[in-house]
Structures are given as structure tokens and as C-alpha cells.
């Protein structure tokens, strides 16, 4: 795979997030960017084989929980009139 594809797709995704008009479209791009960062960290672990990998896996897990919190928040926002002050998404964010 060509290395320049990742930053090129990141620029396209960021443009979609910034200029996408409907909230669902921009939020979907936001979640896609978060998922791409998780893939990048895991690929970096595999390619570089650091001697101590635990911290990198924790970074990937934290990023995955943040992305999952975004998905939960978006789901709540789309299915209800208003997002409650304390929601399931907040619990995922705090994890």
C-alpha cells in the first residue's frame, strides 16, 4: 500500500467533516476519522514491533472507546429529541 494514501484520505475525510452539511454526514466522517486512527495505531504496532507494546494497545483501546462513545452519542441524538444530561455515551467516554 502506498504511504501517501493514508494522509490523502485523511484530508478528504476532514474536508467531508468540515463541509458536510447534514449533521449525520459530518458526524459519520468524524467517526470514520476516529476509526482510521485506531487502524493506524494498530498497523504501527504491527509494522514497527516496539519492544514494549502495552502502552500502544492502551492508546488504541482508549481511541476505540472514544469512537464508540461518539457512535453511541450519535445514535441517541438521532433516535431521541434531546440527548439526556447523563447518557450511555457519557459512560463510554469516561471508560
Amino acid at each position: 500500500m502506498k504511504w501517501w494514501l493514508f494522509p490523502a484520505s485523511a484530508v478528504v475525510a476532514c474536508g467531508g467533516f468540515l463541509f458536510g452539511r447534514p449533521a449525520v454526514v459530518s458526524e459519520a466522517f468524524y467517526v470514520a476519522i476516529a476509526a482510521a486512527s485506531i487502524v493506524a495505531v494498530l498497523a504501527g504496532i504491527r509494522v514497527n514491533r516496539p519492544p514494549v507494546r502495552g502502552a500502544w494497545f492502551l492508546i488504541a483501546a482508549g481511541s476505540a472507546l472514544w469512537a464508540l462513545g461518539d457512535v453511541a452519542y450519535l445514535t441517541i441524538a438521532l433516535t431521541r429529541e434531546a440527548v439526556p444530561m447523563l447518557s450511555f455515551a457519557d459512560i463510554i467516554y469516561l471508560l
Side-chain angles (χ1 to χ4, degrees), residues 39-57:
V39 170
V41 170
L42 294 175
I45 294 169
R46 183 178 173 101
V47 169
N48 297 312
R49 302 239 184 243
V52 179
R53 294 186 257 174
W56 290 106
F57 283 119

Side-chain angles (χ1 to χ4, degrees), residues 6-92:
F6 189 77
S9 61
V11 168
V12 170
C14 288
F17 173 70
L18 290 174
F19 301 114
R21 289 292 172 222
V24 175
V25 173
S26 63
E27 290 295 327
F29 274 109
Y30 186 76
V31 171
I33 293 168
S37 70
I38 298 162
V39 170
V41 170
L42 294 175
I45 294 169
R46 183 178 173 101
V47 169
N48 297 312
R49 302 239 184 243
V52 179
R53 294 186 257 174
W56 290 106
F57 283 119
L58 287 175
I59 290 171
S63 297
L65 285 170
W66 189 267
L68 186 62
D70 287 338
V71 169
Y73 182 85
L74 183 60
T75 303
I76 293 168
L78 291 174
T79 57
R80 296 186 181 183
E81 279 186 29
V83 179
M85 185 64 147
L86 181 61
S87 67
F88 185 66
D90 294 321
I91 295 168
I92 297 172

